[in-house]
Amino acid sequence: MSELKRTPLFDSHTAHNGKLVDFGGWELPVNYGSQIAEHEAVRTDAGMFDVSHMLVTDVAGDNAKAFFQKLIANDVAKLSFVGKALYSAMLNDNGGVMDDLIVYRTNEAETTYRIVSNGATREKDLAQFNKIASEFGVSITPRYDLAMLAVQGPKAIEKLLSTRPQWAEKVNALKPFVGVDLEGDWFVARTGYTGEDGVEVIMPSNQANGFFDELVGAGVAPCGLGARDTLRMEAGMNLYGNDMTDEVSPLEAGMAWTVDLKDENREFVGKSALVALKSAGVKVKQVGLLLESKGVMRAGMEVVTDNGNGITTSGVFSPSLNQSIAIARVPADFTGERAKVIMRGKEVEVRVLKLPFVRNGKKQFD
């Protein structure tokens, strides 16, 4: 057993009685007491998550834009101003998702960018960044000296700014999916993984615990991985390793909107496989499932439809809906509003819904 890695906020988790678990090789809090209370804090007020296991990587060089146009399926040409962020899948040669990541443009000249990618895949991701970088002569700098906190919820920005009033003008001006550089390696972006307003704050590791305590003092609830999962599920957001994998293309994982094929001359990794898949016809699609009876759906359950069977890729009990929800892959030609999930050997009826289930604290279906 290799030793679990710890983020710079480990001391804050132990100080606030975080219940620590192994998450993709990282020792992180699943909750600080009540997962439901943490979920509610984010939906109604403000909560924060340590996401320092995610990797921040800075990319620089004259060919940085061309590097990204090869590396990812979405097109960084869309980043029309400094600070703008782009969500994309990074694909393997077969069109499967190696990871999903966010890219920020960080200068006017389009020669510097920042990537935020997943923690569990950091070695694999870095190897791919470096492999493609060697073709374009750009530098890849993993920022192991930084920590990251996601501060989420309807009152997240207000409470954050009560600790940093000097940021107010810049942070209040942020539109969704835009980031801004602040003093001394602090960076704030209006992004998140909860379906609520809020920001992700990148900072020097040695200032992270002090900042965490300031946010607690401002009334921001520390939240663990449990609430992070129920929140992202309600928001219909994919989890790498569950809803998308090396074997699953973005076209099959509800991520077709992140694939940009407009520029016929742009050859990104996995493009030919995606184009072939598209012309052959994508066989599965992603849907949401709602269980109206008792029980909890989990990942890996068989879904029975009139057009053939599918599988749940994530499933939880939703605190906001007080029912179980799941994300599933089902046959692409299935259009019904009802399906069945096999739970403990029995077929149980479920409603089929368009994702997301919840957005900005409101149920998205009747």
Side-chain angles (χ1 to χ4, degrees):
M1 241 322 261
S2 60
E3 204 171 313
L4 292 179
K5 296 189 279 280
R6 291 175 173 177
T7 74
L9 284 154
F10 180 80
D11 290 348
S12 292
H13 304 321
T14 52
H16 292 276
N17 303 315
K19 186 186 172 196
L20 297 160
V21 297
D22 176 353
F23 179 76
W26 291 82
E27 199 168 0
L28 287 167
V30 66
N31 60 56
Y32 296 85
S34 165
Q35 179 179 324
I36 302 279
E38 291 163 25
H39 180 106
E40 289 304 316
V42 175
R43 284 277 176 256
T44 61
D45 190 2
M48 62 177 159
F49 305 86
D50 175 13
V51 289
S52 308
H53 60 299
M54 296 177 78
L55 181 63
V56 177
T57 304
D58 288 336
V59 178
D62 291 345
N63 298 324
K65 184 178 180 181
F67 159 79
F68 280 107
Q69 290 186 305
K70 171 89 182 263
L71 181 79
I72 60 175
N74 213 337
D75 191 350
V76 289
K78 291 174 180 170
L79 299 179
S80 53
F81 57 90
V82 174
K84 186 84 181 90
L86 183 76
Y87 175 71
S88 182
M90 176 172 72
L91 308 181
N92 57 30
D93 292 337
N94 300 323
V97 181
M98 289 182 76
D99 197 13
D100 63 325
L101 43 82
I102 293 176
V103 178
Y104 297 91
R105 176 177 164 184
T106 53
N107 76 352
E108 282 294 344
E110 298 180 290
T111 56
T112 65
Y113 294 82
R114 169 166 280 182
I115 309 170
V116 178
S117 55
N118 284 311
T121 52
R122 61 161 62 186
E123 280 79 19
K124 176 176 86 168
D125 289 359
L126 266 177
Q128 181 73 350
F129 299 164
N130 283 312
K131 179 181 158 189
I132 306 298
S134 66
E135 295 175 39
F136 293 92
V138 297
S139 68
I140 302 291
T141 310
R143 297 297 304 272
Y144 300 124
D145 56 325
L146 300 177
M148 186 153 97
L149 269 174
V151 189
Q152 300 281 295
K155 294 183 182 164
I157 291 174
E158 173 194 325
K159 290 190 170 182
L160 167 78
L161 292 177
S162 74
T163 74
R164 292 287 187 283
Q166 70 273 28
W167 291 356
E169 194 180 339
K170 284 183 173 173
V171 171
N172 284 326
L174 286 178
K175 300 270 191 296
F177 251 64
V178 178
V180 65
D181 254 319
L182 297 158
E183 73 273 2
D185 257 339
W186 288 73
F187 182 87
V188 176
R190 199 163 164 195
T191 53
Y193 192 52
T194 59
E196 295 296 332
D197 199 5
V199 291
E200 291 178 308
V201 184
I202 294 169
M203 73 212 80
S205 295
N206 59 6
Q207 296 178 54
N209 289 291
F211 183 56
F212 190 99
D213 289 342
E214 285 179 68
L215 290 172
V216 169
V220 179
C223 301
L225 295 163
R228 190 166 153 82
D229 197 44
T230 53
L231 290 158
R232 71 95 191 167
M233 280 281 307
E234 290 181 353
M237 292 175 175
N238 281 351
L239 174 65
Y240 188 79
N242 279 50
D243 312 297
M244 50 188 164
T245 67
D246 280 304
E247 279 75 53
V248 177
S249 88
L251 306 180
E252 299 164 317
M255 293 168 69
W257 62 279
T258 71
V259 176
D260 193 323
L261 296 168
K262 287 192 198 79
D263 181 352
E264 288 176 17
N265 299 317
R266 185 172 76 94
E267 289 301 325
F268 59 85
V269 177
K271 180 181 180 178
S272 53
L274 281 197
V275 170
L277 178 65
K278 223 176 160 181
S279 60
V282 182
K283 302 284 188 290
V284 295
K285 65 178 180 181
Q286 194 181 61
V287 296
L289 303 178
L290 179 74
L291 180 64
E292 293 176 312
S293 54
K294 282 195 168 66
V296 179
M297 294 182 283
R298 299 287 181 205
M301 290 181 165
E302 195 172 350
V303 183
V304 181
T305 83
D306 299 338
N307 297 61
N309 292 4
I311 193 161
T312 57
T313 53
S314 287
V316 292
F317 182 79
S318 157
S320 302
L321 303 173
N322 213 23
Q323 288 169 294
S324 179
I325 56 175
I327 294 172
R329 275 196 296 278
V330 298
D333 54 358
F334 171 66
T335 55
E337 293 178 10
R338 298 267 163 187
K340 293 185 169 69
V341 170
I342 297 176
M343 299 176 73
R344 295 184 182 160
K346 293 193 179 122
E347 289 190 355
V348 182
E349 189 167 291
V350 291
R351 266 184 83 181
V352 180
L353 298 166
K354 224 176 122 176
L355 296 168
F357 302 98
V358 177
R359 186 54 53 94
N360 297 122
K362 293 186 177 62
K363 192 168 94 165
Q364 297 296 293
F365 57 92
D366 297 324

